[in-house]
Amino acid sequence: MGYGWGLLFGLLGAACLLLLLPRSGHGEERQPETAAQRCFCQVSGYLDDCTCDVETIDKFNNYRLFPRLQKLLETDYFRYYKVNLKKPCPFWNDINQCGRRDCAVKPCHSDEVPDGIKSASYKYSEEANLIEECEQAERLGAVDESLSEETQKAVLQWTKHDDSSDSFCEVDDIQSPDAEYVDLLLNPERYTGYKGPDAWRIWSVIYEENCFKPQTIQRPLNPLASGQGKNKENTFYSWLEGLCVEKRAFYRLISGLHASINVHLSARYLLQDTWLEKQWGHNVTEFQQRFDGVLTEGEGPRRLKNLYFLYLIELRALSKVLPFFERPDFQLFTGNKVQDAENKLLLLEILHEVKSFPLHFDENSFFAGDKNEAQKLKEDFRLHFRNISRIMDCVGCFKCRLWGKLQTQGLGTALKILFSEKLIANMPESGPSYEFQLTRQEIVSLFNAFGRISTSVRELENFRHLLQSVH
């Protein structure tokens, strides 16, 4: 980061601190500070490591993108997500399941999911599927016609391994008997009451063991660590600023995802639960506890800033992947040709809108050093994120697990896209693409994950207004 940007950020930080100081001199008293000022004091101006400002993001998201994106996510192709919520935790004995009814996930009955999705859950269209199967058979035959059936299966497994080598997530086996379709609209992400040591443990393991952080550096406000204080906060951020841009970005992505989830939980909080009805809505107190600069010792505003950073990363990935969806062979295949064609037009309209965003994040600074060191760092980056995706199977609340898995896979798909720019550029104009592929699971998670972040940005505007009169 250049001297000019550093000076600008320093001035912004000083302005935030001045807001916390009382006025003096000539008997002038400082006006009472609102909760909105305390929560959003760092969420203004330009973002660190970016050339984009928060106000531009807010206007673009809330008034140009959000309504159309929500319409797309309500279509059959994007509302049905296949997931295995019964996978055991690979890291510890997962015996503390959330017993609250709001933690439950209601899977779909077989007849609720469109036949086109069930019969081709990872295909783009019937035509492309047939072409791919024929060409796959030709490739196997071209290797050696005398291969045994067992060896041919092994070759197919190698192909799957090659595909996974570019994946940033440990994905579910959707052919497993335990994998079920879930209607995301009927199982919305909201506050379930899942909290305490079990929930803290998930995020603690993610931050402590998967964000390139040494054990000697403690995070501020870590609920599982003792003796938090200002010195440790300063040590942590001195360490963070000393990291290379890639590792610093990794931490900020995870922090942004964590913040986004907390915004959703605060915006869809159970406000009233009677035998007549349940009422969900904005819980201002819950939002303050998570993001108020005073109540979080300065952490809350940083978390919100990282949420915007995450937004820019996923927005950039959507702009990069446009050529993949523009190919004539690609369909959002559900079996209803008229609706499938209309939905593809809406999808392309959204992606062209994303492409028009004037201040996209420039990911070219990532992994731009020594070639060997950059490749090793990229692989470390990928493996750390894959590990985080595995941790989602340890979440004790099934609804939280569902949305954690989906949003993690969505971010992993965005990273896969950003690191596949050349492969996307070299895709054939028609027919299947073997160098770069996205499964239906990746597509659904990519857009739903971005939809969650877009919703978070929209909700921040609502909370800003709600907090204006709170002191």
Side-chain angles (χ1 to χ4, degrees):
M1 182 166 56
Y3 174 79
W5 290 119
L7 178 61
L8 175 60
F9 295 142
L11 291 173
L12 288 173
C16 281
L17 290 174
L18 287 174
L19 288 173
L20 301 176
L21 298 176
R23 292 185 181 180
S24 59
H26 307 291
E28 184 180 5
E29 293 186 2
R30 176 181 172 275
Q31 293 297 316
E33 184 186 28
T34 66
Q37 290 172 314
R38 295 196 302 272
C39 291
F40 295 98
C41 92
Q42 291 196 28
V43 189
S44 62
Y46 287 88
L47 296 169
D48 299 345
D49 297 327
C50 301
T51 59
C52 186
D53 62 279
V54 169
E55 289 76 12
T56 299
I57 298 174
D58 284 338
K59 290 179 181 178
F60 176 79
N61 178 77
N62 299 345
Y63 304 109
R64 293 173 59 181
L65 199 60
F66 179 79
R68 281 179 286 185
L69 183 60
Q70 296 308 303
K71 181 179 178 181
L72 180 73
L73 297 180
E74 292 174 358
T75 64
D76 284 351
Y77 186 90
F78 287 98
R79 69 185 292 180
Y80 295 108
Y81 181 65
K82 198 169 189 181
V83 61
N84 183 357
L85 298 176
K86 299 176 183 178
K87 288 176 67 176
C89 172
F91 301 106
W92 59 80
N93 292 329
D94 185 22
I95 58 176
N96 293 321
Q97 296 293 336
C98 178
R100 299 174 62 92
R101 56 182 175 173
D102 293 323
C103 284
V105 171
K106 181 182 179 182
C108 297
H109 293 295
S110 179
D111 57 353
E112 293 179 302
V113 183
D115 290 336
I117 291 178
K118 289 187 295 186
S119 62
S121 60
Y122 56 94
K123 304 299 180 184
Y124 312 132
S125 68
E126 288 181 315
E127 294 82 359
N129 183 22
L130 291 173
I131 294 171
E132 184 172 356
E133 288 180 353
C134 291
E135 293 190 2
Q136 186 179 75
E138 289 179 5
R139 292 201 308 276
L140 284 175
V143 175
D144 187 345
E145 293 183 356
S146 65
L147 289 177
S148 66
E149 182 178 352
E150 182 179 350
T151 305
Q152 290 184 27
K153 290 181 179 179
V155 172
L156 291 178
Q157 287 299 117
W158 297 339
T159 302
K160 291 181 179 179
H161 173 74
D162 289 342
D163 291 340
S164 68
S165 66
D166 290 328
S167 173
F168 282 76
C169 282
E170 188 81 20
V171 298
D172 287 341
D173 176 10
I174 60 174
Q175 306 304 322
S176 167
D178 290 331
E180 298 178 292
Y181 283 101
V182 173
D183 186 337
L184 298 174
L185 298 182
L186 297 181
N187 293 275
E189 183 182 26
R190 58 192 180 191
Y191 184 78
T192 65
Y194 176 65
K195 57 184 179 180
D198 189 38
W200 298 337
R201 185 182 190 183
I202 298 295
W203 287 107
S204 182
V205 170
I206 289 174
Y207 285 116
E208 298 298 320
E209 300 180 16
N210 294 279
C211 285
F212 302 96
K213 189 182 75 61
Q215 294 295 322
T216 54
I217 302 294
Q218 292 194 23
R219 286 184 299 118
L221 301 182
N222 179 1
L224 299 183
S226 60
Q228 296 298 324
K230 275 289 180 181
N231 290 336
K232 290 186 178 179
E233 175 186 321
N234 294 336
T235 300
F236 176 82
Y237 285 105
S238 296
W239 162 81
L240 185 64
E241 289 305 312
L243 290 178
C244 64
V245 64
E246 295 86 357
K247 291 182 179 179
R248 187 166 64 245
F250 190 97
Y251 171 82
R252 296 181 65 196
L253 288 175
I254 301 305
S255 174
L257 177 60
H258 194 181
S260 179
I261 291 173
N262 282 333
V263 171
H264 306 155
L265 305 186
S266 302
R268 302 199 68 170
Y269 199 90
L270 183 58
L271 301 177
Q272 180 178 329
D273 187 5
T274 68
W275 66 276
L276 285 175
E277 65 173 350
K278 287 187 174 184
Q279 181 182 350
W280 304 85
H282 295 84
N283 187 324
V284 174
T285 301
E286 186 73 17
F287 184 87
Q288 282 184 268
Q289 290 176 349
R290 298 172 187 268
F291 299 110
D292 190 302
V294 172
L295 298 179
T296 63
E297 300 180 17
E299 279 299 294
R302 288 190 176 102
R303 296 167 182 169
L304 293 180
K305 184 183 275 190
N306 290 337
L307 189 157
Y308 279 94
F309 181 79
L310 173 65
Y311 182 93
L312 286 178
I313 290 289
E314 295 208 7
L315 189 75
R316 180 59 166 169
L318 291 178
S319 73
K320 290 280 189 179
V321 81
L322 173 60
F324 176 83
F325 293 107
E326 283 185 316
R327 294 177 305 135
D329 287 337
F330 177 83
Q331 296 183 33
L332 297 174
F333 186 70
T334 67
N336 186 322
K337 291 187 177 181
V338 175
Q339 289 187 6
D340 292 348
E342 292 176 353
N343 293 339
K344 182 176 180 179
L345 287 176
L346 177 59
L347 173 70
L348 294 179
E349 179 184 321
I350 290 171
L351 291 179
H352 279 287
E353 187 72 61
V354 168
K355 193 79 173 177
S356 72
F357 183 70
L359 295 169
H360 273 293
F361 179 82
D362 182 9
E363 76 285 358
N364 290 324
S365 61
F366 281 9
F367 310 107
D370 177 80
K371 186 175 181 180
N372 292 332
E373 291 183 5
Q375 187 59 37
K376 182 181 182 304
L377 182 57
K378 178 181 176 181
E379 182 64 7
D380 288 343
F381 200 98
R382 188 182 69 85
L383 292 177
H384 277 246
F385 198 85
R386 280 180 71 92
N387 213 42
I388 290 174
S389 71
R390 298 176 69 204
I391 295 172
M392 291 299 121
D393 286 315
C394 301
V395 176
C397 166
F398 283 123
K399 186 167 289 182
C400 305
R401 182 181 297 193
L402 164 67
W403 285 100
K405 287 167 74 77
L406 182 143
Q407 291 175 82
T408 304
Q409 185 178 18
L411 177 53
T413 303
L415 294 173
K416 172 182 173 179
I417 292 167
L418 289 178
F419 297 132
S420 302
E421 183 176 12
K422 292 182 180 178
L423 299 180
I424 295 173
N426 293 329
M427 286 188 306
E429 293 184 2
S430 62
S433 169
Y434 296 113
E435 294 298 322
F436 178 82
Q437 300 182 50
L438 290 179
T439 66
R440 179 180 176 275
Q441 290 292 103
E442 289 176 313
I443 295 168
V444 172
S445 65
L446 173 68
F447 282 90
N448 272 284
F450 183 70
R452 294 281 74 209
I453 303 166
S454 174
T455 300
S456 293
V457 172
R458 181 70 183 87
E459 289 292 357
L460 289 184
E461 183 174 277
N462 294 330
F463 276 113
R464 195 189 295 264
H465 291 309
L466 290 170
L467 288 166
Q468 287 295 343
S469 58
V470 178
H471 295 281

